[in-house]
Amino acid sequence: MKKLVLRYHFFVLGAISFLLNSCNSKFRVWVGTNNQQKIYNLKYGEHKRQKMDVFLPSSYSETSPIVLIIHGGAWKYGRKEHMILIQKMLFENNIPSINMNYRLVSKSKAITYREQLEDINQAINKFNSLAEKAELQPNNYIILGESAGGHLALLYGYQNPDQIKKIISLSGPTDFYSKGYLQSFYSKYSSPTIQKVVGTKFNRKNISEEFRKASPIANVSHVPTLLFQGNKDFLVNPHQGLALDSALTAQNIPHKLVFMENSGHAPRFFNKKKRDSIIYPNILEWIKN
């Protein structure tokens, strides 16, 4: 018990140092009866969007991975509060987590998916500096993203296998480059958004190499991956999940595709039964095994 109290005491001290540096009045800390801790709006950078919520349950081992949660919103909308149900579920299952905001895509501000990946890296670096105080290991993360956040989770995870031990993608886009994508109806309505995300003109007849660089399917590495895909997803075509599943199978990379019948985009928002009986159990199993 003494060790547990010291863990939280020193983590709060480290977190407060960021508060003093940021002068952010919205920063707050909640400590529960069993020494659980929830730290809201901890700054990891100077931009107003560069904030994260850190939830530390009462009991976890030093080797426990911390789950880094990336919200969706078509890369240009959304906020971390949209993922609070998942963060609460992890907290209730004694899994430490970070739920982060990131800069949103903007042509006028020259923010693309690259800056969003930089934000993920910056959030990881900030928590790494506090990991010892929380009695957790640095660079020991499972990255979980939904929709556009799923795309960012996949891409960052595959590019940083030294930091990311596993990936979880819920309805995440995977391919902006292949012949299958270019010839699909899905590309007709998604390419204007993807063009802004990549920051390069989308030319179907002469596609830029930048769209391949932005595609998780073209960047896979040996990071175990859990995919959720609805068969009636009209925002992210089901072939996106199926194509990445095939690519992972071809390279013998450990993975699991949860292909949900009669399910649309991000089904956990709209179907409590699927959330509680399919999505959450699969997430917990993937994290713990």
Side-chain angles (χ1 to χ4, degrees), residues 123-138:
I124 284 175
N125 288 339
K126 286 294 186 183
F127 190 82
N128 280 347
S129 70
L130 293 171
E132 185 177 357
K133 296 179 176 65
E135 293 191 5
L136 287 165
Q137 297 175 346

Side-chain angles (χ1 to χ4, degrees), residues 130-198:
L130 293 171
E132 185 177 357
K133 296 179 176 65
E135 293 191 5
L136 287 165
Q137 297 175 346
N139 293 322
N140 185 24
Y141 297 90
I142 294 174
I143 190 166
L144 181 156
E146 187 166 66
S147 191
H151 162 261
L152 295 172
L154 289 165
L155 200 54
Y156 187 90
Y158 291 146
Q159 292 176 352
N160 297 274
D162 54 328
Q163 293 176 324
I164 306 301
K165 308 309 176 186
K166 294 180 181 179
I167 301 169
I168 301 171
S169 170
L170 296 94
S171 306
T174 68
D175 175 20
F176 313 137
Y177 181 80
S178 74
K179 185 176 180 180
Y181 171 74
L182 295 175
Q183 293 179 346
S184 69
F185 177 73
Y186 172 59
S187 73
K188 303 285 187 184
Y189 64 83
S190 63
S191 57
T193 295
I194 302 307
Q195 178 174 265
K196 294 176 183 177
V197 171
V198 177

Side-chain angles (χ1 to χ4, degrees), residues 16-289:
I16 287 175
S17 70
F18 285 113
L19 169 64
L20 295 175
N21 288 333
S22 67
C23 299
N24 178 10
S25 61
K26 294 183 179 180
F27 176 97
R28 56 193 174 93
V29 177
W30 172 87
V31 178
T33 55
N34 293 319
N35 290 309
Q36 311 105 314
Q37 192 169 176
K38 297 179 181 180
I39 302 162
Y40 295 93
N41 295 312
L42 179 62
K43 289 190 70 174
Y44 66 85
E46 294 305 315
H47 192 277
K48 64 181 180 180
R49 291 279 308 181
Q50 292 174 324
K51 298 174 185 176
M52 58 188 185
D53 299 339
V54 180
F55 281 19
L56 300 174
S58 59
S59 177
Y60 55 82
S61 69
E62 185 179 355
T63 59
S64 294
I66 185 161
V67 178
L68 179 62
I69 303 169
I70 316 295
H71 70 77
W75 297 272
K76 55 183 179 180
Y77 307 109
R79 52 195 175 96
K80 55 185 169 61
E81 286 76 15
H82 294 157
M83 302 297 283
I84 189 61
L85 287 179
I86 285 182
Q87 191 170 33
K88 286 182 176 179
M89 181 274 292
L90 296 174
F91 184 77
E92 291 166 1
N93 284 275
N94 289 316
I95 298 169
S97 65
I98 298 168
N99 187 10
M100 63 174 288
N101 277 340
Y102 51 86
R103 288 172 290 172
L104 301 176
V105 161
S106 168
K107 184 177 181 179
S108 63
K109 297 177 182 177
I111 297 173
T112 69
Y113 81 95
R114 299 173 192 84
E115 283 68 38
Q116 295 175 334
L117 295 180
E118 288 174 6
D119 284 355
I120 295 173
N121 188 63
Q122 200 165 339
I124 284 175
N125 288 339
K126 286 294 186 183
F127 190 82
N128 280 347
S129 70
L130 293 171
E132 185 177 357
K133 296 179 176 65
E135 293 191 5
L136 287 165
Q137 297 175 346
N139 293 322
N140 185 24
Y141 297 90
I142 294 174
I143 190 166
L144 181 156
E146 187 166 66
S147 191
H151 162 261
L152 295 172
L154 289 165
L155 200 54
Y156 187 90
Y158 291 146
Q159 292 176 352
N160 297 274
D162 54 328
Q163 293 176 324
I164 306 301
K165 308 309 176 186
K166 294 180 181 179
I167 301 169
I168 301 171
S169 170
L170 296 94
S171 306
T174 68
D175 175 20
F176 313 137
Y177 181 80
S178 74
K179 185 176 180 180
Y181 171 74
L182 295 175
Q183 293 179 346
S184 69
F185 177 73
Y186 172 59
S187 73
K188 303 285 187 184
Y189 64 83
S190 63
S191 57
T193 295
I194 302 307
Q195 178 174 265
K196 294 176 183 177
V197 171
V198 177
T200 303
K201 183 175 176 57
F202 184 86
N203 184 336
R204 195 178 307 276
K205 295 181 179 180
N206 186 23
I207 191 74
S208 168
E209 178 72 6
E210 294 303 316
F211 291 90
R212 187 196 66 80
K213 294 178 182 178
S215 299
I217 198 169
N219 290 272
V220 295
S221 64
H222 204 79
V223 181
T225 304
L226 173 63
L227 301 169
F228 291 90
Q229 179 69 60
N231 72 324
K232 294 183 178 179
D233 191 338
F234 295 107
L235 289 179
V236 175
N237 188 277
H239 288 292
Q240 293 278 299
L242 292 169
L244 182 56
D245 176 60
S246 296
L248 295 170
T249 299
Q251 297 191 39
N252 199 30
I253 295 171
H255 69 286
K256 179 178 182 179
L257 171 64
V258 181
F259 195 73
M260 294 172 286
E261 298 294 328
N262 299 313
S263 297
H265 189 65
R268 72 175 186 88
F269 278 121
F270 312 109
N271 191 312
K272 184 178 186 300
K273 183 177 180 180
K274 281 191 173 71
R275 181 174 69 232
D276 294 341
S277 65
I278 298 175
I279 298 173
Y280 285 177
N282 272 284
I283 288 174
L284 291 174
E285 181 183 15
W286 195 254
I287 291 171
K288 293 179 177 181
N289 294 335

